[in-house]
Amino acid sequence: MGKGHFRDESDPLLGFHSAAIAPSERKGALYSSTVHRNNVRITERFDDPDQSMNKYRVHVISYTAGNHVQVLFQMYGSAFPQVLPFVLCNLGWTLAVQYLKAIGLLDLTFHSSVGHSFMGLLVSFLIVSRSRISYGRFMNFRTLLATQYRMCRQLAQFTMIYSFQTQTPEARLWRQEVCFRTIDLLRVTMDALLWSSNEREKWEDEYFTVHQKDEEAGKHESASEHFFRFRQLSHGRRSNIDEIFRAPITFCHLLKQTIMTHQDYLGYKLAVNEYRDLLLFVASFQEAFHGFRVLVFTPYPFPLVQMTRAFLFFWVYTLPLVLLKEYRLWSSLLIVLLVSFGFIGIEYVSMALDDPFGDVTNDIDEHGMALLTYEDVYLAVYRTDGPAAAFELRDRVLQRYKQGRGVDCYRDDMKGYDMWEPMYHPKNPSSPDREKGKENDLHYSQQGR
């Protein structure tokens, strides 16, 4: 029998990708997390990021296509356990129909199987069409993920290649900032996709409800004035899903802005084709994210799902009423067993393919693959700026994880000031124009009041 293979890791980041850290917990241990994996709630609390931590296992389903015994009897990742209750129910229903007929109390069998046969053709068409469309959507999700991982790697590597000859502290700071923003963008994108799958019941909740109460109570000290001004720019009510899926778009803009500040750090302007390449990598990442938006906000049409499900269950559970009229009991039970397993099993496979993000066995391990991308970014920094710069970047990423999920960090950033700095503010702390830009904003803010 095949087994699920695990990659054991002791990296601190692995305990955070689905962790929501409450503000009260941040004051105790250095960081703590609560993750839900395969319906098991695991709470981890760590006081030192360098200590050996509880291992998080990345689940990978593996099998050998040529091993028929393994394929037929492997339960890890199988749809059999989910389908079995429906099959047993149908077998019990078959025995009940036969018993009522045998004692002469009630004969529920159909006198003709013609209508049921025609309905079988319709159900077969609907089931096959649904599985084909669901598999197509699943592969689109996977292709878009691969595009985003590739763009992040390309952006980090080309940033190093185009500027490695400039080895000043400011240049190294700019390269690290680009890589950090790249990792932050990838992380918030993965968390947004995971949130859209695990928190579907919270999609339509209002995003700014808590902040509105704080504002009415006069608690402005917890958020910048830019945050409340941003709310005034909205054209209506904004739900959780609206704002959470805005986070990667906002981070893309911040990354593009960071790329275009290279002249302040390098001391010269990159060639047009060079910084254009860097911007195009971010644009390709953002294009892939908009592909995710299309797939997430345009699910498989509900009326078609409803009709397919209704015809499927009606046809499967009326099958005994046709078979018992023409076949013996044991023959009918065998046919009901196989047909129920087949048709309902294919429907469950389609359901799993519809939503490939989450914590169930067959979901894509989007965060595990993102961690590999982080490591490739660290490697690019290591080869260009040395081990100290690579470990400094990794520490910054770890500090970001300690704040909570990527979508929570986005909300915290919106309540701060750094994210709202206009593009004309130089990012180099040593630039004299930085304070001048802030003074201009302060003057405008006072006039606005």
Side-chain angles (χ1 to χ4, degrees):
M1 183 179 296
K3 298 181 180 180
H5 293 265
F6 308 113
R7 186 176 74 247
D8 289 342
E9 301 286 353
S10 59
D11 196 298
L13 301 187
L14 293 175
F16 286 103
H17 73 282
S18 58
I21 304 179
S24 60
E25 294 177 333
R26 300 179 188 176
K27 299 178 181 179
L30 185 56
Y31 56 90
S32 61
S33 64
T34 301
V35 298
H36 296 268
R37 178 68 57 175
N38 292 337
N39 297 323
V40 178
R41 185 175 185 271
I42 305 174
T43 301
E44 297 174 325
R45 184 179 179 89
F46 309 123
D47 296 313
D48 185 359
D50 295 326
Q51 70 178 359
S52 178
M53 301 179 181
N54 294 340
K55 293 183 178 180
Y56 162 69
R57 300 184 298 178
V58 180
H59 298 264
V60 180
I61 299 176
S62 62
Y63 63 93
T64 304
N67 190 336
H68 304 303
V69 175
Q70 178 191 20
V71 171
L72 290 175
F73 295 99
Q74 176 172 315
M75 290 296 104
Y76 184 77
S78 173
F80 286 176
Q82 297 172 300
V83 178
L84 185 59
F86 295 95
V87 175
L88 295 178
C89 182
N90 208 11
L91 292 176
W93 167 240
T94 303
L95 293 174
V97 171
Q98 176 63 23
Y99 175 75
L100 293 176
K101 179 182 178 182
I103 64 176
L105 181 61
L106 183 63
D107 186 4
L108 297 174
T109 58
F110 293 164
H111 295 284
S112 175
S113 60
V114 177
H116 199 269
S117 299
F118 280 114
M119 183 178 289
L121 295 176
L122 176 61
V123 170
S124 300
F125 170 77
L126 291 174
I127 290 295
V128 172
S129 298
R130 171 158 162 72
S131 62
R132 179 179 58 85
I133 294 174
S134 298
Y135 181 73
R137 287 171 55 85
F138 179 86
M139 291 307 299
N140 284 338
F141 275 118
R142 187 62 186 87
T143 302
L144 293 174
L145 276 176
T147 299
Q148 292 192 328
Y149 299 142
R150 187 174 72 253
M151 291 303 106
C152 289
R153 291 182 171 98
Q154 293 280 67
L155 177 57
Q157 292 176 2
F158 275 85
T159 298
M160 302 298 151
I161 292 298
Y162 288 152
S163 64
F164 77 96
Q165 292 179 332
T166 305
Q167 287 294 330
T168 62
E170 291 79 10
R172 287 192 290 270
L173 179 62
W174 175 74
R175 287 191 288 265
Q176 182 185 112
E177 187 66 22
V178 171
C179 292
F180 174 75
R181 290 290 184 183
T182 301
I183 291 175
D184 211 20
L185 170 61
L186 180 60
R187 183 199 174 202
V188 78
T189 303
M190 299 300 101
D191 281 355
L193 294 172
L194 184 63
W195 187 94
S196 68
S197 176
N198 291 347
E199 307 288 342
R200 190 172 295 270
E201 69 280 357
K202 299 179 182 179
W203 273 26
E204 297 304 323
D205 293 348
E206 189 169 358
Y207 186 78
F208 293 113
T209 302
V210 176
H211 303 296
Q212 183 176 4
K213 294 179 180 178
D214 291 342
E215 184 180 16
E216 293 173 353
K219 299 179 180 179
H220 290 246
E221 65 277 3
S222 61
S224 68
E225 60 181 9
H226 299 292
F227 177 78
F228 297 107
R229 285 183 177 180
F230 167 70
R231 288 181 47 198
Q232 296 172 1
L233 292 174
S234 64
H235 289 282
R237 176 185 176 274
R238 289 292 164 257
S239 63
N240 283 328
I241 192 66
D242 293 333
E243 287 301 321
I244 287 176
F245 267 65
R246 192 199 303 272
I249 299 175
T250 301
F251 280 19
C252 279
H253 177 249
L254 294 175
L255 179 54
K256 293 174 184 176
Q257 177 180 344
T258 303
I259 292 172
M260 292 307 298
T261 60
H262 64 271
Q263 188 172 7
D264 297 329
Y265 292 88
L266 299 179
Y268 62 92
K269 192 168 186 178
L270 293 173
V272 174
N273 62 301
E274 293 177 348
Y275 68 75
R276 183 192 61 185
D277 288 343
L278 302 182
L279 293 175
L280 286 177
F281 292 142
V282 184
S284 298
F285 184 100
Q286 189 169 355
E287 182 180 357
F289 176 72
H290 282 285
F292 283 127
R293 288 180 62 95
V294 171
L295 292 172
V296 171
F297 290 112
T298 312
Y300 195 90
F302 171 73
L304 190 55
V305 174
Q306 187 180 46
M307 292 300 296
T308 301
R309 200 75 54 81
F311 273 97
L312 171 64
F313 281 108
F314 179 82
W315 185 81
V316 167
Y317 283 101
T318 55
L319 184 62
L321 308 184
V322 176
L323 296 176
L324 290 174
K325 186 69 177 180
E326 302 176 1
Y327 296 91
R328 293 177 297 177
L329 175 61
W330 295 111
S331 300
S332 300
L333 289 173
L334 180 60
I335 296 175
V336 167
L337 172 67
L338 297 177
V339 172
S340 300
F341 242 118
F343 278 81
I344 298 180
I346 294 175
E347 176 66 11
Y348 261 91
V349 171
S350 300
M351 291 165 58
L353 295 177
D354 276 341
D355 184 10
F357 303 109
D359 292 332
V360 298
T361 307
N362 287 286
D363 286 337
I364 297 174
D365 183 20
E366 72 286 344
H367 196 272
M369 291 185 288
L371 293 177
L372 296 177
T373 306
Y374 296 178
E375 295 167 4
D376 292 334
V377 174
Y378 300 153
L379 178 61
V381 175
Y382 192 107
R383 291 177 59 85
T384 304
D385 293 332
F391 279 100
E392 184 179 352
L393 173 60
R394 187 181 182 279
D395 289 340
R396 289 186 65 186
V397 174
L398 179 58
Q399 290 295 330
R400 190 69 164 169
Y401 268 78
K402 294 174 186 176
Q403 297 178 24
R405 297 177 301 179
V407 293
D408 298 327
C409 293
Y410 167 69
R411 176 174 290 198
D412 292 340
D413 290 345
M414 290 181 64
K415 294 167 62 177
Y417 283 90
D418 290 342
M419 195 181 78
W420 299 100
E421 289 189 352
M423 295 181 66
Y424 55 79
H425 284 179
K427 293 298 181 182
N428 190 341
S430 62
S431 173
D433 295 332
R434 183 180 177 91
E435 294 301 326
K436 182 178 179 181
K438 289 187 175 181
E439 291 175 1
N440 292 337
D441 275 353
L442 178 60
H443 176 68
Y444 170 78
S445 176
Q446 293 173 349
Q447 285 184 341
R449 293 178 180 175

